[in-house]
């Protein structure tokens, strides 16, 4: 009888703002495209269909698709047009500078799903300053100030992207030695988005050239 380590659901990291923006853009594309398909003549319908094929897949790729899945054995990075699978055994570290990056097997990969926000970092720094003042005895006054101080202490004074980087580095360190966390980098292109975009661009070019 063999004992196996318990497996947990993957942690998922993605940009809520990017996801919301993508949904709104797709709704706009659908509204304009469907309106042209219903009301337009034959050429207008072809132009609308080509335009939808050209614009919708990149919007999905840049806003809805990006995500990072972190499990017990690997990290799966879903970037706009490519998916990279990185076993923890070859992950050298994750860093958030002007962008979030993971280093593995001597190469660097960007994490589109975890954008770096300088505004969030400044906000975290202000919270840290408030906590330091409170530690020196300059206590906040009033219920709102006390509630803000409690929220500051709860979030660890770190921007969301920096918190995500800390968690990913902890997972990499904790799981790097696991036997099932070894292996090479795997990459796959998102042809389901690349092909429709190319078809839409080609069709639109032909229609515009034909006048």
């Amino acid at each position: 009888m063999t004992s196996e380590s318990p497996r947990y659901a993957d942690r998922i990291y993605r940009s809520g703002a990017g996801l919301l923006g993508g949904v709104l853009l797709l709704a706009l594309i659908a509204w304009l495209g469907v309106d042209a398909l219903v009301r337009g003549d034959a050429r207008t319908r072809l132009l609308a269909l080509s335009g939808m094929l050209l614009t919708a897949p990149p919007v999905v790729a840049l806003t809805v698709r990006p995500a990072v899945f972190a499990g017990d054995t690997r990290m799966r990075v879903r970037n706009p047009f490519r998916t990279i699978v990185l076993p923890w055994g070859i992950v050298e570290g994750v860093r958030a500078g002007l962008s979030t990056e993971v280093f593995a097997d001597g190469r660097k990969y960007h994490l589109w799903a975890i954008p770096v926000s300088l505004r969030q970092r400044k906000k975290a720094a202000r919270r840290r300053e408030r906590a330091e003042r409170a530690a020196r005895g300059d206590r906040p006054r009033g219920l709102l100030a006390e509630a803000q101080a409690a929220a500051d202490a709860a979030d660890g004074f770190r921007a969301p992207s920096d918190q995500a980087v800390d968690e990913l580095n902890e997972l990499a360190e904790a799981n790097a030695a696991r036997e099932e966390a070894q292996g090479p980098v795997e990459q796959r292109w998102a042809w389901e988005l690349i092909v429709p975009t190319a078809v839409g661009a080609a069709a639109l070019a032909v229609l515009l050239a034909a006048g």
Side-chain angles (χ1 to χ4, degrees):
M1 183 176 180
T2 59
S3 60
E4 296 183 357
S5 301
R7 292 186 176 274
Y8 302 97
D10 288 357
R11 299 185 191 184
I12 303 175
Y13 301 88
R14 66 194 318 161
S15 171
L19 185 61
L20 177 60
V23 170
L24 293 176
L25 283 174
L26 289 173
L28 178 62
I29 292 171
W31 176 54
L32 294 174
V34 170
D35 183 70
L37 289 173
V38 171
R39 299 173 181 270
D41 56 21
R43 186 172 186 276
T44 300
R45 292 174 181 174
L46 289 175
L47 285 170
L49 184 59
S50 300
M52 292 172 71
L53 280 174
L54 176 62
T55 56
V59 168
V60 171
L62 294 170
T63 61
V64 178
R65 174 180 162 82
V68 173
F69 303 88
D72 295 333
T73 61
R74 64 181 186 171
M75 174 182 181
R76 182 160 60 94
V77 181
R78 200 169 68 188
N79 281 340
F81 293 102
R82 185 173 56 161
T83 298
I84 307 116
V85 178
L86 305 167
W88 290 123
I90 63 170
V91 172
E92 299 157 6
V94 185
R95 182 186 69 186
L98 296 178
S99 62
T100 309
E101 303 161 338
V102 57
F103 296 84
D105 201 23
R107 297 188 62 183
K108 177 176 68 176
Y109 304 92
H110 291 280
L111 306 182
W112 282 70
I114 309 177
V116 173
S117 170
L118 298 181
R119 175 176 170 274
Q120 289 291 341
R121 282 183 172 171
K122 291 178 180 178
K123 184 178 179 181
R126 289 194 298 268
R127 290 183 170 184
R128 188 183 307 111
E129 290 175 2
R130 285 196 294 265
E132 291 172 352
R133 289 198 299 268
R136 292 194 300 266
D138 185 11
R139 306 297 299 176
R141 297 180 179 179
L143 292 176
L144 289 178
E146 290 179 2
Q148 181 64 61
D152 292 346
D155 73 4
F157 317 114
R158 300 281 283 167
S161 59
D162 295 325
Q163 293 180 32
V165 166
D166 289 344
E167 292 174 4
L168 291 171
N169 279 320
E170 289 172 3
L171 283 170
E173 184 177 355
N175 296 293
R178 295 171 64 127
E179 182 179 352
E180 58 269 37
Q182 311 306 312
V185 176
E186 298 177 14
Q187 300 187 53
R188 184 184 73 84
W189 291 98
W191 296 110
E192 66 276 13
L193 296 174
I194 296 173
V195 171
T197 302
V199 170
L204 193 61
V206 170
L207 288 169
L208 292 176

